[in-house]
Amino acid sequence: KAGVTQTPRYLIKTRGQQVTLSCSPISGHRSVSWYQQTPGQGLQFLFEYFSETQRNKGNFPGRFSGRQFSNSRSEMNVSTLELGDSALYLCASSFLGAGTGEKLFFGSGTQLSVL
Amino acid sequence: EDQVTQSPEALRLQEGESSSLNCSYTVSGLRGLFWYRQDPGKGPEFLFTLYSAGEEKEKERLKATLTKKESFLHITAPKPEDSATYLCAVPPTGNTPLVFGKGTRLSVIA
């Protein structure tokens, strides 16, 4: 069974640009969660999508958005990039969802560098 | 308000030197405590889930235990390949997503 796939693996952007990251969950998983990981803050929850609906949202500005498609694949978008957005963006999938006590399966992440 | 606190932040061990990592949490009505391992440049990999005080789980040189306020990850006779960041996480009350601690960065020196 294929794991969680995130693309691209690395991304370099400049301030003010926008970026779109993609995540393909494990087949059959309907929940996709996104996390931002930085050395200082650790893993910070961005949002969760379940069956194409946003179910939870973390404390991030509106520049961060996401969506989920009918095949459960998800994208997240960051507009007007800032230097502080440099981070490893992780996607995780599960069958029932991140808040149900079910374990999450993570992708390898997209390393975003904003110059 | 921190709901999950891990200590120490970093730990350096000699190969074969056993030790423990700590994860304390403040959520009530625990619906599971998760341990993950993360290698540099990769996503976290699931290790264990513990659901009730007194529960223990083992995998190779790792054993996770749970009390009402904290969990320990015991590493027995570690090897260099055990070097990684170990994360613990809990789901807060309600249908909210996992909250992660900041992790313990373990280095095992041959």
Side-chain angles (χ1 to χ4, degrees), chain B residues 11 13-21 48 57-65 72-82 86 106 108:
Chain B
L11 182 62
L13 299 174
Q14 292 292 321
E15 185 173 4
E17 180 186 2
S18 302
S19 187
S20 296
L21 314 182
F48 306 109
K57 288 193 176 174
E58 290 188 62
K59 180 180 180 179
E60 296 181 359
R61 294 176 292 282
L62 301 176
K63 182 168 83 172
T65 62
F72 292 93
L73 185 65
H74 307 279
I75 303 177
T76 302
K79 298 182 177 181
E81 52 262 43
D82 294 323
Y86 291 86
L106 174 67
V108 182

Side-chain angles (χ1 to χ4, degrees), chain B residues 59-104:
Chain B
K59 180 180 180 179
E60 296 181 359
R61 294 176 292 282
L62 301 176
K63 182 168 83 172
T65 62
L66 182 66
T67 71
K68 287 185 178 180
K69 292 185 178 181
E70 58 192 348
S71 177
F72 292 93
L73 185 65
H74 307 279
I75 303 177
T76 302
K79 298 182 177 181
E81 52 262 43
D82 294 323
S83 298
T85 296
Y86 291 86
L87 300 162
C88 73
V90 296
T93 54
N95 189 23
T96 50
L98 286 181
V99 174
F100 283 82
K102 293 187 177 181
T104 293

Side-chain angles (χ1 to χ4, degrees), chain A residues 9 33 35 37 40-43 45 48 55-56 88 90 98-109, chain B residues 31-32 34 36 38 40-46 49 51 87 91-92 94-102:
Chain A
R9 187 72 180 89
S33 300
Y35 285 82
Q37 187 175 35
Q41 296 299 315
L43 275 148
F45 172 75
E48 180 197 6
R55 191 155 71 173
N56 282 296
L88 180 66
L90 291 161
T100 62
E102 186 187 32
K103 67 184 180 186
L104 300 182
F105 294 84
F106 283 86
S108 292
Chain B
R31 292 176 296 119
F34 298 80
Y36 285 84
Q38 185 175 23
K42 295 189 176 181
E45 179 183 350
F46 173 77
T49 307
Y51 289 103
L87 300 162
N95 189 23
T96 50
L98 286 181
V99 174
F100 283 82
K102 293 187 177 181

